[in-house]
Amino acid sequence: MTKMILSDCSSSTTSRLLPLTSHKFLRISHSRNVHFSLIPSISRVSFPSLSLRPHASSSTLISAKMAADSVAKIIDGKSVARQIREEVAAEITRMKEAIGVIPGLAVILVGDRKDSATYVRNKKKACEAAGINSYEVHLPETSTEEEVLNSISKFNEDPSVHGILVQLPLPSHINEEKMLNAVGIEKDVDGFHPLNIGRLAMRGREPLFVPCTPKGCIELLHRYGVQIKGKKAVVIGRSNIVGMPAALLLQREDATVTIVHSRTKNPEAITKEADIIISAVGQANMVRGSWIKPGAVIIDVGINPIDDPESARGYRLVGDVCYEEAVTVASAITPVPGGVGPMTIAMLLSNTLSSAKRVHGFH
């Protein structure tokens, strides 16, 4: 991305947003200890008693209403992901009762990275909650490529396993591309196999699986009723994991797609033309309010730690998009955390279910 020095646009004193209806929000100072969760279909939310001054002028009330109306709708990934997991669990129950089959997901973890171990643990919990059988192989950091390939081969041949996930990143001495290519395309629930990506890129072809995070981005747009067809979309970032497949998915939805990347000239002007923005570049608060077209819809994939001395952890997570600025310009936006993140595992469960259904001809 174009190199620039950016100041942190957010602070611990920034006001929170509390929904009054599905389209209106009220600013609440951080001095109030208010906690809430947002649900897409919400129409009423209970909240601490708030009072307006009894003699507030009409101009004050009008200004307050205008401020409330200008705040973007929150695209709540937690709620949508929970709904998808419930749908997957119901289908698994139906399939088990009808044909006695339970989907199985295998994860191969190499090394002792704490973040990778946490991801694998969360995936295992999600599988258990949905009724998916979970299999795991944990190999030491010093494992050879042959040892990793042997584990992949065993899961490829195991009929009780319907999805295989190689946890990334792998140790530097192991060729990631070689490992991912070794996963059978019919069990590639991560959607990274070159044949799946190739089918995704070609008109008239259908991939067996779509990469989970980009698929989650599009699912959020669908479930919030965001029209994609005919819209201008900008994807910031061109990684094989998110940016590139997200652009391909938007193109399949008949959007006009532009990819902004590290060599793009004047990315601000290009991004400001977009009706839909998907940012997956991994640079905290890079996309400012001035980059955003009024009324645009923003899907923020970035999860970036920034220093925060007021946090018990010493840091907090923010997205690629400066939320406090964007929320006053966009019509809808995903928060970080709680936006795209929960959708990734939900889509992984969905892909595993689809694999089991395909193998056993269950509809």
Side-chain angles (χ1 to χ4, degrees):
M1 193 48 51
T2 304
K3 291 185 178 179
M4 59 188 76
I5 299 175
L6 299 177
S7 60
D8 180 18
C9 69
S10 55
S11 70
S12 60
T13 58
T14 304
S15 58
R16 289 185 180 181
L17 302 175
L18 184 67
L20 297 182
T21 71
S22 59
H23 301 289
K24 294 183 176 62
F25 296 80
L26 180 67
R27 291 184 181 273
I28 304 291
S29 166
H30 266 272
S31 62
R32 294 180 182 268
N33 186 22
V34 180
H35 302 279
F36 58 89
S37 61
L38 300 173
I39 302 174
S41 60
I42 194 165
S43 59
R44 290 189 62 186
V45 174
S46 60
F47 50 89
S49 176
L50 302 175
S51 60
L52 295 173
R53 293 182 180 180
H55 301 294
S57 67
S58 59
S59 61
T60 301
L61 295 176
I62 291 172
S63 297
K65 184 180 186 302
M66 289 176 65
D69 287 343
S70 69
V71 177
K73 178 185 292 185
I74 308 303
I75 298 176
D76 183 5
K78 283 185 178 180
S79 176
V80 175
R82 182 169 58 250
Q83 182 180 352
I84 291 170
R85 291 197 304 269
E86 290 171 355
E87 293 167 0
V88 168
E91 276 296 282
I92 290 172
T93 298
R94 187 174 73 88
M95 184 165 63
K96 181 181 177 181
E97 292 175 351
I99 61 175
V101 172
I102 300 175
L105 175 64
V107 178
I108 299 171
L109 175 63
V110 184
D112 298 308
R113 284 179 59 110
K114 290 184 179 179
D115 55 349
S116 292
T118 299
Y119 294 149
V120 169
R121 185 166 57 250
N122 289 340
K123 289 167 185 173
K124 187 174 182 179
K125 288 181 180 178
C127 284
E128 292 173 353
I132 293 175
N133 288 334
S134 181
Y135 305 89
E136 181 183 340
V137 169
H138 189 177
L139 299 174
E141 181 86 15
T142 55
S143 297
T144 64
E145 288 188 351
E146 184 178 359
E147 288 172 324
V148 179
L149 289 172
N150 284 339
S151 294
I152 294 173
S153 179
K154 289 178 182 177
F155 286 135
N156 277 337
E157 297 169 2
D158 188 342
S160 65
V161 172
H162 303 95
I164 302 172
L165 184 150
V166 180
Q167 182 64 44
L168 302 178
L170 292 169
S172 58
H173 67 280
I174 295 177
N175 186 316
E176 288 187 356
E177 182 179 352
K178 185 177 179 181
M179 300 304 109
L180 295 176
N181 290 351
V183 175
I185 186 173
E186 71 282 356
K187 297 187 179 185
D188 173 41
V189 289
D190 251 345
F192 295 150
H193 194 287
L195 289 179
N196 273 322
I197 294 296
R199 289 177 176 178
L200 181 63
M202 297 177 69
R203 290 178 61 86
R205 303 290 182 90
E206 292 296 329
L208 295 181
F209 304 101
V210 172
C212 298
T213 300
K215 183 179 180 180
C217 294
I218 302 301
E219 188 68 19
L220 285 175
L221 294 174
H222 285 167
R223 298 215 177 201
Y224 272 80
V226 176
Q227 183 177 345
I228 303 175
K229 184 176 181 179
K231 299 297 183 179
K232 290 183 179 180
V234 165
V235 177
I236 305 176
R238 53 177 172 177
S239 71
N240 290 336
I241 295 174
V242 182
M244 180 269 293
L248 293 175
L249 285 170
L250 286 166
Q251 186 171 283
R252 279 182 166 249
E253 298 273 347
D254 294 322
T256 300
V257 185
T258 302
I259 299 177
V260 169
H261 51 77
S262 59
R263 300 293 183 267
T264 301
K265 296 180 179 179
N266 202 4
E268 177 179 349
I270 294 172
T271 303
K272 196 164 186 176
E273 295 180 354
D275 302 302
I276 298 169
I277 300 169
I278 296 180
S279 183
V281 73
Q283 186 171 333
N285 295 323
M286 188 195 74
V287 179
R288 311 304 291 248
S290 60
W291 290 42
I292 300 165
K293 174 183 177 180
V297 176
I298 301 173
I299 304 295
D300 191 350
V301 183
I303 302 179
N304 311 291
I306 63 171
D307 293 336
D308 184 358
E310 296 186 12
S311 170
R313 299 177 296 181
Y315 70 92
R316 58 195 171 88
L317 299 177
V318 300
D320 294 342
V321 179
C322 179
Y323 185 88
E324 285 74 12
E325 293 177 4
V327 79
T328 64
V329 183
S331 62
I333 187 171
T334 57
V336 176
V340 175
M343 294 295 292
T344 300
I345 290 181
M347 294 296 97
L348 177 65
L349 302 181
S350 177
N351 280 354
T352 303
L353 171 62
S354 296
S355 178
K357 283 184 168 184
R358 184 183 298 115
V359 169
H360 296 281
F362 184 74
H363 302 287

